[in-house]
Each structure stands twice: as structure tokens, then as C-alpha cells.
Amino acid sequence: MRRKLAAGNWKMNGTEATLSELAALQTPAEIDVLICPPNTLISRAASANDKIALGGQDCHRAQSGAHTGDISAEMLVDAGASYVLTGHSERRTDHGETNEIVAAKTRAAWSQNLVAVVCIGETLAEREAGTTLEVIAQQLAGSVPEDATAQNTVIAYEPVWAIGTGLVPTLEQIAEVHDFLRSELSKRFGAEIAEGIRLLYGGSVKPSNAESIFATSNVDGALVGGASLKADDFNGIISALASA
Ligand code: PGA
């Protein structure tokens, strides 16, 4: 009943020339395909492939104002976005974003009817210290505001140590966190909302490991960095999800 979602995060990659990769993406009817390109490409991306959803990689918590270099949720919508990532670990690390800031950004996204893909995940030190579930619970509680629904929120579990490293948790570790997330969401928002919220895994997803990750408990799709940049790679992930 949850529609599966293959999401690509291009990070600070992509120029006009990269749009041909978007045009070559498959969009099977049974799943949603989302690309979060750099902001400079959002409106052109919409013309390159009108079957994929587009998203921002971040938005400011304020609607407008004196925030040089930032972008608002309203501007993302204006450019053609329907989603936005909030709390990606690179934003948390590079820009000091706390759970409180991420929650404010998530609210800003909702105020413009953007779907927020709220990202959470433990560091290697936290995993090794055995505090993964504790960290995840805190991030989930602090980054996802009260009014979350299945329509306005997607959660992406991205262990920081798996992002861009080629390291991937075991399927048991992924299942443990995803099952835990579903139960935490249920405690807070009730079973009906919790059952509808899509949970993505992210961190070194590739065509070669996608099938097994998508067969894992409570995994409703993926948030993909490096392997979303080339249509050949991302198409492999899209097909694996469509047939999961
Ligand atoms: P990766 O990045 O797929 O390159 O590991 C994932 C992400 O940061 O969303």
C-alpha cells in the first residue's frame, strides 16, 4: 500500500550537460522516481523529463528575507519541485544543522505543500558504541514535527558511515532500524499514519545491492547519491525497486 520511491540526490553535481541523464531515466508506472538536482537545474530538469518528480536538497526555514545564498520552500515549488530533503547528514555536518533546525525546515516545506524527505542516521562512532537506535530515536523525535502524515513526510535512514563510502550495513542492521522507525512512528503518530509513511534506505546503494536491500523489512525505496548521477546506474536501481 505504500508506493515505492526511488530518490536520487545529485548533491553539488550537475550542469546543463547532465540533463541528458535525466531524459534517459525509466519511470515505471508502479513506483515514484524523484531526482533532487542542484537548484540551478530544477526548472530545466522539468523539461528534460516530465515523468520524474523533482526536489530540492535543502530549504531555509524562513519564507523569504535576508538570507544570502539560501533558498526558500516557495522558490523550490516555483522552480517545479514537489519534494525537498531536510536534514541530510552533509547539511548537518557542513552547516551545523541541529534537529531543531531540521524540524523548522520540514515545517517550512510543509507550508508550501512540499513533501519533506527527512534524513537521519548514526555515525560510525555511534554504531560502534551500540547507541544507533537511541540516536535514531532522538533524531526522529527532534527532526519530524507533530503534523507528519503519510502524504507530507518520507523518512530516509542514512548511516553517515555508509554515505559515499561503499560500506553498507548488513540487511539485518537495515531491517532492525527500519522496523524500529516504523514502531517509533506508530507510537507517536498512530498506526495508520505510521503504516503510510515511506521509509527509504540510503548510503552506497548500487544496482548490485539494490535488490537485496529492497527485499528487506520496511524498506520502501532508496535515497541514492553517487549511483543516481548516471542513468545506467539509476535505471538498474529503479528496475530493482519496480520488481521488488
Ligand atoms: P551515496 O549517497 O549513495 O553516494 O552513498 C547517499 C546520500 O547521501 O543520499
Side-chain angles (χ1 to χ4, degrees), residues 56-122:
Q57 300 172 9
D58 173 57
C59 68
H60 197 275
R61 56 180 147 176
Q63 290 208 345
S64 62
H67 302 289
T68 302
D70 279 310
I71 190 153
S72 71
E74 184 186 22
M75 292 168 183
L76 292 174
V77 172
D78 185 53
S82 50
Y83 287 76
V84 64
L85 309 182
T86 59
H88 189 280
S89 77
E90 287 150 19
R91 298 290 315 176
R92 292 179 187 262
T93 306
D94 293 358
H95 299 272
E97 292 188 8
T98 60
N99 289 330
E100 195 182 23
I101 292 172
V102 176
K105 290 182 172 210
T106 302
R107 271 188 228 101
W110 291 347
S111 76
Q112 299 300 318
N113 296 317
L114 287 169
V115 179
V117 180
V118 185
C119 306
I120 57 178
E122 82 286 3

Side-chain angles (χ1 to χ4, degrees), residues 210-219 244:
E211 193 184 335
S212 58
I213 292 172
F214 295 148
T216 302
S217 173
N218 277 310
V219 174

Side-chain angles (χ1 to χ4, degrees), residues 31-229:
I31 68 166
D32 291 333
V33 178
L34 162 69
I35 293 285
C36 301
N39 294 331
T40 49
L41 287 182
I42 293 176
S43 58
R44 279 176 284 172
S47 338
N49 187 334
D50 64 2
K51 297 220 169 51
I52 56 173
L54 295 168
Q57 300 172 9
D58 173 57
C59 68
H60 197 275
R61 56 180 147 176
Q63 290 208 345
S64 62
H67 302 289
T68 302
D70 279 310
I71 190 153
S72 71
E74 184 186 22
M75 292 168 183
L76 292 174
V77 172
D78 185 53
S82 50
Y83 287 76
V84 64
L85 309 182
T86 59
H88 189 280
S89 77
E90 287 150 19
R91 298 290 315 176
R92 292 179 187 262
T93 306
D94 293 358
H95 299 272
E97 292 188 8
T98 60
N99 289 330
E100 195 182 23
I101 292 172
V102 176
K105 290 182 172 210
T106 302
R107 271 188 228 101
W110 291 347
S111 76
Q112 299 300 318
N113 296 317
L114 287 169
V115 179
V117 180
V118 185
C119 306
I120 57 178
E122 82 286 3
T123 62
L124 188 57
E126 289 162 344
R127 160 96 26 208
E128 286 174 349
T131 57
T132 297
L133 296 185
E134 210 173 294
V135 169
I136 294 294
Q138 274 170 13
Q139 290 183 338
L140 189 72
S143 306
V144 180
E146 280 315 312
D147 300 321
T149 66
Q151 287 71 41
N152 68 16
T153 302
V154 173
I155 308 292
Y157 167 55
E158 299 203 304
V160 177
W161 53 273
I163 296 177
T165 57
L167 301 171
V168 182
T170 64
L171 299 176
E172 290 69 26
Q173 289 171 326
I174 295 175
E176 181 189 32
V177 173
H178 280 237
D179 291 351
F180 178 72
L181 285 172
R182 186 79 64 210
S183 100
E184 289 290 293
L185 287 171
S186 183
K187 277 191 228 153
R188 180 146 167 234
F189 300 109
E192 198 181 324
I193 289 176
E195 283 302 316
I197 293 181
R198 294 177 289 181
L199 305 180
L200 309 184
Y201 167 77
S204 297
V205 177
K206 300 182 281 271
S208 57
N209 60 21
E211 193 184 335
S212 58
I213 292 172
F214 295 148
T216 302
S217 173
N218 277 310
V219 174
D220 304 311
L223 179 56
V224 184
S228 71
L229 292 170

Side-chain angles (χ1 to χ4, degrees), residues 17-28:
T18 326
L19 294 175
S20 59
E21 300 295 331
L22 274 188
L25 287 181
Q26 298 168 13
T27 50

